[in-house]
């Protein structure tokens, strides 16, 4: 049950309502920073009292709004909006046309938005909404989501508990492709704006919405043109904050953390091509192209990139927050953190990093927050059983660690491929664009360096403190807000020049259901309705808070 916003704010006023957070004492009696000083938690941040806006916020808890919200999200899920890796250009490939249907649905479902806001289409299906603020000196707030979903393989349809395009509501959850990635966030943002429009709210700070349509296939035709469009209009460092889909809430070490993504690993695909003479398989060479490529793959997989944790890596801040607030935080990790601070505050990649290696014991999902990953994902070669293969190829996918660069990958693969090329008297063409017979060729594609890390000082008024303060206002002060990092990439990879304050965050959470989001990219995708309603509550409070703070 949620109390009225005005009541909750009043209860917090004596200790938490001040907009100027006091910094915790910085130094411990040992002369080192106190643990909580390294992870300052902003006070809960409530918007100023406004009867009409507070009434609208309280309406989110009504059965009327709940029923309408279920219908809206369910309807969105029922519209197929799959994106595929092999899609052709917009206007040529007919599979893009499903997005006309989705926009028609948004127009019908949110009439005030499409009456009052400026709506512009970028590359046909990209949607850009502008709610002009009354104070043009304030940098705008940008909220993002994507319209598309990953495809549903036809052979998996029978495995779904409820059909993937049914939008079925079972009394607690809405089921279907896109229910949790990320039509829930898109519809939640739209519900928030529609609700604020109904109250006659007029923002001082301009609010922008940007909805791509090909995030699941890297955003080349949706997010990239949208980002260019926004950049041409507003310029470098022109936005106060960006909030896109991303990580949410997680129970760790006996404490509930909200983990807005403040960084992303880099990305690099490398195609390895081996060219060798063909011939009849009845008179084979000792090592065919497949054998040579297999040897190179074995070399690549026989050793990994080093595990190390730079201080700018958001996971380092997560550990600091865990040490400060989590009762079950491992004592060994706490000691290693303290040692890192009191000795050298920077890692040396040529030496092992004890802190990173100990943290990595928590599992691969943690290890790869601190290590460049490599995965041999695609392989092809040979077309006939009695013909020696003349050209074989594999693709190695890399997610680059904070502190590494693509050059680290280039250098390592060049060295390994050089060893194999020398052994078999082949010419090595490492990233030079040349392909010829009797050679090993390395070709890069889709290179993306590590994302800039968003500032997250909770001791000062900042975009992070507004976001974190809104989280703690909605969910309570027992929730610790810590920077997060993603091993994957969102559409924000094209938006880096627009602001230093980018957060990849799913603000929905159901305290009674830790599995409120499930089935992302697989069968039985669903979202808990209580989680979704909290998305609307959070965005409603967040936009009001952003409208009242002076960040510029």
């Amino acid at each position: 049950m949620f109390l009225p916003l005005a009541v909750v704010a009043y209860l917090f006023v004596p200790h938490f309502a001040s907009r100027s957070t006091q910094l915790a004492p910085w130094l411990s009696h040992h002369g080192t920073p106190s643990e909580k000083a390294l992870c300052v938690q902003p006070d809960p941040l409530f918007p100023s009292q406004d009867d009409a806006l507070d009434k609208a916020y309280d309406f989110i808890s009504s059965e009327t709004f709940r029923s309408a919200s279920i219908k809206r999200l369910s309807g969105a899920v029922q519209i197929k909006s799959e994106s595929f890796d092999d899609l052709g250009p917009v206007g040529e490939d007919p599979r893009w046309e499903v997005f006309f249907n989705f926009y028609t649905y948004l127009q019908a479902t949110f009439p005030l938005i499409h009456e009052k806001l400026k709506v512009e289409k970028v590359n046909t299906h990209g949607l850009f909404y502008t709610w002009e603020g009354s104070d043009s000196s304030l940098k705008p707030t940008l909220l993002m989501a994507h319209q598309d979903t990953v495809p549903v393989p036809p052979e998996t349809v029978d495995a779904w508990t409820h059909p993937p395009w049914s939008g079925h509501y079972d009394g607690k959850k809405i089921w279907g492709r896109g229910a949790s990635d990320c039509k829930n966030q898109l519809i939640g943002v739209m519900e928030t704006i529609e609700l604020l429009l109904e109250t006659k709210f007029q923002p001082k700070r301009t609010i922008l919405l940007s909805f791509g349509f090909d995030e699941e296939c890297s955003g080349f035709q949706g997010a990239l043109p949208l980002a260019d469009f926004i950049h041409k209009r507003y310029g470098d460092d022109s936005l106060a904050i960006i909030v896109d889909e991303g990580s949410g809430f997680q129970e760790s070490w006996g404490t509930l953390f909200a983990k807005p993504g403040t960084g992303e690993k880099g990305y690099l695909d490398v195609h390895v091509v081996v060219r060798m003479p063909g011939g009849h398989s009845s008179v084979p060479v000792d090592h065919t192209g497949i054998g040579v490529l297999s040897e190179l793959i074995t070399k690549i997989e026989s050793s990994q990139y080093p595990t190390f944790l730079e201080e700018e890596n958001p996971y380092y801040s997560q550990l600091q927050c865990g040490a400060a607030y989590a009762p079950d935080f491992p004592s060994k990790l706490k000691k290693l953190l303290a040692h890192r601070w009191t000795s050298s505050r920077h890692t040396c990649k040529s030496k092992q990093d004890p802190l990173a290696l100990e943290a990595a014991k928590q599992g691969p999902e943690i290890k790869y927050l601190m290590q460049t990953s490599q995965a041999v994902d695609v392989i092809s070669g040979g077309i006939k059983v009695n013909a020696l293969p003349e050209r074989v190829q594999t693709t190695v996918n890399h997610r680059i660690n904070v502190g590494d660069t693509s050059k680290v990958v280039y250098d390592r693969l060049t060295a390994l491929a050089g060893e194999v090329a020398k052994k078999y008297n082949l010419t090595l063409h490492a990233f030079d664009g040349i392909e010829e017979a009797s050679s090993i060729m390395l070709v890069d594609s889709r290179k993306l360096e590590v994302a800039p890390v968003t500032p997250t000082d909770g001791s000062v008024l900042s975009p992070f403190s507004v976001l974190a303060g809104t989280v703690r206002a909605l969910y309570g002060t027992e929730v610790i807000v810590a920077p997060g990092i993603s091993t994957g990439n969102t559409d924000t990879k094209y938006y880096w020049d627009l602001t230093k304050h980018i957060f990849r965050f799913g603000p929905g959470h159901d305290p009674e259901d830790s599995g409120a989001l499930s089935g992302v990219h697989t069968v039985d995708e669903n979202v808990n309705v209580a989680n979704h309603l909290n998305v609307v509550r959070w965005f409603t409070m967040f936009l009001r808070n952003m409208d009242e703070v002076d960040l510029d």
Side-chain angles (χ1 to χ4, degrees):
M1 174 182 291
F2 280 83
L3 294 172
L5 181 60
V7 174
V8 178
Y10 175 79
L11 293 174
F12 275 102
V13 163
H15 188 64
F16 295 112
S18 170
R19 291 182 181 272
S20 58
T21 303
Q22 294 296 313
L23 178 64
W26 183 249
L27 294 179
S28 72
H29 66 281
H30 297 295
T32 59
S34 64
E35 290 168 348
K36 291 187 178 180
L38 297 175
C39 182
V40 176
Q41 291 297 293
D43 292 338
L45 186 61
F46 294 93
S48 300
Q49 185 172 351
D50 181 293
D51 290 344
L53 289 170
D54 291 348
K55 185 177 180 181
Y57 179 88
D58 297 340
F59 179 61
I60 299 170
S61 298
S62 70
E63 188 58 40
T64 300
F65 186 91
R66 176 186 174 88
S67 297
S69 184
I70 291 168
K71 183 178 179 181
R72 286 187 285 259
L73 180 52
S74 174
V77 172
Q78 291 173 46
I79 299 172
K80 283 189 177 183
S81 55
E82 298 167 296
S83 60
F84 302 87
D85 288 345
D86 62 346
L87 280 161
V90 173
E92 297 180 17
D93 193 320
R95 289 175 293 177
W96 291 115
E97 294 179 7
V98 296
F99 293 98
F100 287 121
N101 299 332
F102 192 73
Y103 177 64
T104 298
Y105 177 78
L106 294 179
Q107 281 184 301
T109 306
F110 302 103
L112 280 178
I113 289 177
H114 292 88
E115 176 189 344
K116 302 292 186 182
L117 271 60
K118 183 178 182 180
V119 186
E120 296 168 279
K121 294 186 176 182
V122 179
N123 197 19
T124 305
H125 300 298
L127 301 179
F128 184 62
Y129 295 81
T130 304
W131 192 356
E132 204 68 49
S134 59
D135 188 346
S136 60
S137 69
L138 300 177
K139 291 182 178 181
T141 295
L142 173 61
L143 306 180
M144 295 173 59
H146 59 88
Q147 307 168 60
D148 62 310
T149 73
V150 295
V152 176
E155 62 271 17
T156 69
V157 171
D158 290 344
W160 286 69
T161 302
H162 304 285
W165 306 108
S166 65
H168 177 81
Y169 174 58
D170 66 1
K172 182 178 180 180
K173 297 182 177 183
I174 295 171
W175 297 71
R177 175 61 79 232
S180 58
D181 184 19
C182 73
K183 288 182 178 178
N184 57 322
Q185 189 137 328
L186 189 154
I187 295 299
V189 167
M190 296 292 274
E191 288 178 316
T192 297
I193 302 298
E194 190 84 359
L195 187 64
L196 292 173
L197 285 167
E198 289 173 357
T199 68
K200 313 296 185 189
F201 174 69
Q202 173 56 52
K204 294 191 288 290
R205 187 184 300 275
T206 294
I207 298 170
L208 308 174
L209 312 179
S210 180
F211 300 149
F213 57 90
D214 62 344
E215 192 273 346
E216 301 294 1
C217 50
S218 295
F220 295 122
Q221 302 197 58
L224 177 57
L226 277 164
D228 288 343
F229 180 86
I230 297 169
H231 189 265
K232 287 176 183 176
R233 177 168 297 176
Y234 291 97
D236 286 346
D237 196 26
S238 56
L239 305 183
I241 189 172
I242 294 175
V243 180
D244 192 12
E245 64 162 341
S247 52
F249 295 74
Q250 184 178 19
E251 186 83 25
S252 299
W253 310 304
T255 297
L256 180 62
F257 288 86
K259 297 183 177 181
T262 58
E264 291 181 337
K265 295 179 74 175
Y267 184 104
L268 179 64
D269 286 333
V270 176
H271 309 292
V272 184
V273 179
V274 175
R275 290 282 304 272
M276 295 185 71
H280 200 286
S281 61
S282 63
V283 189
V285 294
D286 291 342
H287 300 278
T288 69
I290 291 175
V292 171
L293 180 60
S294 298
E295 184 172 333
L296 178 52
I297 291 172
T298 300
K299 275 184 170 289
I300 292 170
E301 292 190 336
S302 65
S303 63
Q304 298 185 353
Y305 290 86
T307 303
F308 66 91
L309 183 58
E310 294 282 354
E311 285 191 17
E312 61 264 32
N313 188 322
Y315 189 66
Y316 183 76
S317 298
Q318 279 188 40
L319 291 177
Q320 290 177 322
C321 291
Y325 297 99
D328 300 331
F329 190 78
S331 58
K332 187 170 183 180
L333 275 178
K334 185 175 288 192
K335 290 177 182 178
L336 288 168
L337 270 171
H339 179 72
R340 170 73 71 87
W341 184 271
T342 55
S343 56
S344 172
R345 294 186 57 198
H346 298 281
T347 59
C348 179
K349 297 177 199 175
S350 63
K351 299 179 180 179
Q352 287 194 333
D353 181 349
L355 175 61
L357 293 173
E358 182 64 25
K361 293 177 182 178
Q362 298 172 92
E365 69 281 357
I366 300 299
K367 181 179 79 169
Y368 284 113
L369 299 178
M370 305 173 289
Q371 179 180 314
T372 295
S373 63
Q374 57 185 15
V376 181
D377 289 330
V378 180
I379 192 164
S380 63
I383 57 174
K384 205 169 186 303
V385 71
N386 63 349
L388 301 179
E390 296 177 282
R391 187 183 194 277
V392 296
Q393 176 175 326
T394 191
T395 301
V396 189
N397 173 257
H398 303 82
R399 307 303 174 104
I400 302 170
N401 187 21
V402 177
D404 274 344
T405 65
S406 57
K407 185 177 184 301
V408 173
V409 176
Y410 293 148
D411 291 348
R412 180 171 182 268
L413 291 183
T414 297
L416 294 176
E419 294 174 8
V420 175
K422 182 178 180 180
K423 179 178 179 179
Y424 293 103
N425 197 30
L426 301 173
T427 302
L428 175 63
H429 290 291
F431 309 105
D432 61 8
I434 299 173
E435 180 173 348
E436 63 178 353
S438 299
S439 70
I440 296 178
M441 179 183 183
L442 303 178
V443 183
D444 64 341
S445 69
R446 294 178 60 186
K447 181 177 75 171
L448 181 71
E449 298 295 350
V450 174
V453 178
T454 298
T456 56
D457 185 355
S459 68
V460 297
L461 183 60
S462 65
F464 173 75
S465 67
V466 175
L467 181 148
T470 305
V471 169
R472 286 161 64 81
L474 177 60
Y475 295 109
T477 55
E478 66 274 14
V479 178
I480 303 303
V481 184
I485 181 171
S486 173
T487 54
N489 301 106
T490 64
D491 277 344
T492 60
K493 59 181 173 285
Y494 300 113
Y495 288 70
W496 295 350
D497 290 340
L498 288 164
T499 181
K500 298 179 178 65
H501 306 282
I502 299 177
F503 298 91
R504 301 96 175 156
F505 183 48
H509 174 64
D510 179 6
E512 299 180 1
D513 183 5
S514 60
L517 294 172
S518 60
V520 174
H521 287 209
T522 187
V523 300
D524 281 349
E525 183 176 352
N526 64 78
V527 63
N528 186 315
V529 170
N531 175 296
H532 177 70
L533 293 176
N534 277 337
V535 170
V536 184
R537 289 187 182 93
W538 188 87
F539 276 115
T540 302
M541 196 185 301
F542 172 72
L543 288 177
R544 290 179 61 187
N545 281 334
M546 283 296 298
D547 212 50
E548 295 182 12
V549 296
D550 184 8
L551 299 173
D552 306 284

